[in-house]
């Protein structure tokens, strides 16, 4: 019985990690989108800040995902 509980616990940990990554990615991309649009509007730099901040948010989130996955092993 303890082996089954451990297996379920490990599976739930994976789901929690995936859900955390998804929410972190969504929130940071929405924030980057909002800040990028605001900055581009006021500085008249069409999509410069929008694209730059979105790329920064995605790369940052992927870095954190790799860092978390490496820590678990």
């Amino acid at each position: 019985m303890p082996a089954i509980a451990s297996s379920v616990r490990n599976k739930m940990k994976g789901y929690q990690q995936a859900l955390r990554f998804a929410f972190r990615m969504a929130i940071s991309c929405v924030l980057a989108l909002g800040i990028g649009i605001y900055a581009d509007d006021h500085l008249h730099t069409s999509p410069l800040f929008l694209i730059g901040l979105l790329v920064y948010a995605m790369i940052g989130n992927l870095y954190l995902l790799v860092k978390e996955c490496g820590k678990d092993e």
Side-chain angles (χ1 to χ4, degrees):
M1 200 65 152
I4 295 173
S6 176
S7 173
V8 170
R9 198 173 305 124
N10 286 340
K11 189 180 287 189
M12 289 304 292
K13 187 175 181 181
Y15 289 141
Q16 289 172 349
Q17 189 175 17
L19 192 60
R20 189 177 330 130
F21 173 72
F23 275 114
R24 186 186 305 144
M25 179 68 92
I27 290 170
S28 65
C29 284
V30 168
L31 285 174
L33 184 71
I35 293 170
I37 289 173
Y38 178 79
D40 284 334
D41 243 8
H42 289 300
L43 299 174
H44 306 290
T45 55
S46 195
L48 182 67
F49 283 99
L50 175 66
I51 293 172
L53 289 174
L54 278 173
V55 168
Y56 178 74
M58 288 182 195
I59 289 173
N61 280 308
L62 289 174
Y63 169 76
L64 289 175
L65 177 68
V66 169
K67 185 177 172 183
E68 278 184 20
C69 288
K71 183 173 56 173
D72 289 344
E73 293 177 11

